[in-house]
């Protein structure tokens, strides 16, 4: 804003006409013209001050409009940031829930694998005991047959041999069933392990 012009006179002085007594003459033309020039100068100063005031008002209005636009932009940016923050918060909560679900699923699979491993070990132990029992019984039967061969007559020997063979078949059948159970458990464990490793 330009510097405010300072007048070297006062409006009151300009408007105040010289006092004249009844004996004095009327103001001279030169004095009136001087007063007129001073009035014109005062008018120019006032007009310049009004122009500067209007310019300053316009500048203030432009600044106010610019600030209003900036406030609207900042409010819009704030709303977008808040919406983005809410969206990220929801995604974080969903991710935490998914991680918790994966963790629980992994624990379940580990427990299942441990359970299968225990079952396999128990089955192997039972199979080992059954096999040992079968071998002992087979050896016992062989000894009994050797002893019976000297005790029983040749006519009864085929019947005893057939009975021993039947017993042997039953034992072999039981052993085969246990082997099939062990194989089935091993196959289930092999299926679950890759799935657990992927998670």
């Amino acid at each position: 804003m330009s510097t405010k012009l300072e007048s070297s006179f006062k409006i009151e002085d300009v408007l105040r006409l010289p006092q004249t007594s009844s004996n004095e003459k009327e103001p001279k033309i030169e004095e009136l013209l001087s007063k007129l020039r001073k009035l014109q100068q005062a008018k120019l100063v006032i007009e310049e001050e009004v122009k500067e005031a209007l310019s300053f008002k316009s500048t203030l209005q432009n600044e106010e409009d610019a600030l209003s636009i900036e406030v609207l932009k900042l409010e819009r940016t704030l709303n977008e940031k808040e919406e983005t923050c809410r969206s990220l918060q929801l995604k974080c909560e969903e991710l935490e829930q998914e991680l918790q679900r994966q963790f629980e699923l992994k624990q379940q699979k580990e427990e299942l694998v441990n359970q299968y491993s225990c079952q396999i070990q128990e089955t192997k132990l039972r199979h080992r005991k059954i096999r040992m029992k079968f071998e002992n019984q087979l050896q016992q039967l062989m000894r009994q047959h050797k002893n019976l061969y000297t005790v029983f007559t040749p006519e009864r020997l085929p019947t005893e041999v057939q009975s021993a063979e039947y017993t042997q078949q039953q034992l072999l059948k039981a052993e085969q069933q246990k082997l099939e159970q062990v194989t089935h458990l091993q196959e289930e464990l092999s299926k679950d392990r890759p799935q657990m490793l992927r998670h």
Side-chain angles (χ1 to χ4, degrees):
M1 180 183 293
S2 60
T3 306
K4 180 180 178 182
L5 298 177
E6 296 291 341
S7 60
S8 61
F9 55 87
K10 297 181 180 180
I11 300 299
E12 292 80 1
D13 295 336
V14 175
L15 295 177
R16 185 171 61 249
L17 293 176
Q19 298 292 329
T20 59
S21 61
S22 58
N23 296 327
E24 294 180 348
K25 298 179 180 179
E26 294 294 326
K28 295 180 179 181
I29 299 298
E30 291 78 5
E31 293 179 353
L32 294 176
L33 290 175
S34 177
K35 294 289 185 180
L36 180 60
R37 284 193 295 271
K38 289 182 178 180
L39 287 172
Q40 290 174 345
Q41 291 178 359
K43 178 183 177 184
L44 292 175
V45 171
I46 292 173
E47 288 177 350
E48 184 65 23
E49 291 178 350
V50 169
K51 186 188 297 183
E52 291 178 356
L54 291 175
S55 177
F56 183 68
K57 178 182 178 183
S58 177
T59 302
L60 289 178
Q61 184 64 42
N62 292 335
E63 291 178 355
E64 182 180 356
D65 294 341
L67 287 174
S68 298
I69 294 173
E70 186 66 22
V71 167
L72 291 175
K73 289 181 179 179
L74 290 174
E75 288 178 349
R76 184 163 52 250
T77 302
L78 177 61
N79 292 333
E80 292 175 355
K81 296 294 183 182
E82 289 178 347
E83 182 64 26
T84 302
C85 183
R86 285 192 293 269
S87 178
L88 290 175
Q89 182 67 28
L90 290 175
K91 289 182 179 179
C92 286
E93 292 176 358
E94 292 176 357
L95 181 60
E96 288 177 355
Q97 292 176 358
E98 179 64 19
L99 289 175
Q100 181 65 26
R101 189 186 70 83
Q102 292 291 341
F103 177 74
E104 293 176 354
L105 183 61
K106 181 180 179 181
Q107 279 189 329
Q108 292 177 359
K109 290 186 176 181
E110 288 178 350
E111 292 176 357
L112 186 61
V113 168
N114 293 333
Q115 181 180 353
Y116 282 162
S117 299
C118 292
Q119 291 179 356
I120 289 173
Q121 294 298 327
E122 292 175 356
T123 303
K124 285 182 177 180
L125 182 59
R126 287 196 301 268
H127 175 260
R128 189 178 297 111
K129 291 180 178 179
I130 291 173
R131 186 177 185 83
M132 291 176 62
K133 183 178 180 181
F134 167 74
E135 291 176 352
N136 292 331
Q137 289 178 347
L138 183 60
Q139 291 177 0
Q140 184 178 359
L141 286 173
M142 291 175 65
R143 287 194 299 268
Q144 288 178 356
H145 279 291
K146 288 180 181 179
N147 295 330
L148 289 173
Y149 182 77
T150 58
V151 175
F152 291 96
T153 60
E155 291 79 9
R156 295 187 58 183
L157 186 59
T159 302
E160 295 296 331
V161 171
Q162 185 178 6
S163 177
E165 289 177 350
Y166 176 76
T167 302
Q168 182 179 2
Q169 290 176 359
Q170 292 297 113
L171 292 173
L172 289 172
K173 185 176 179 181
E175 181 182 9
Q176 183 64 30
Q177 289 178 350
K178 297 301 179 182
L179 287 173
E180 290 176 356
Q181 290 178 0
V182 171
T183 302
H184 177 70
L185 288 174
Q186 289 176 340
E187 290 176 354
E188 291 294 328
L189 182 60
S190 299
K191 290 179 182 178
D192 290 335
R193 279 181 178 173
Q195 295 179 0
M196 182 187 68
L197 293 176
R198 284 198 298 270
H199 292 283

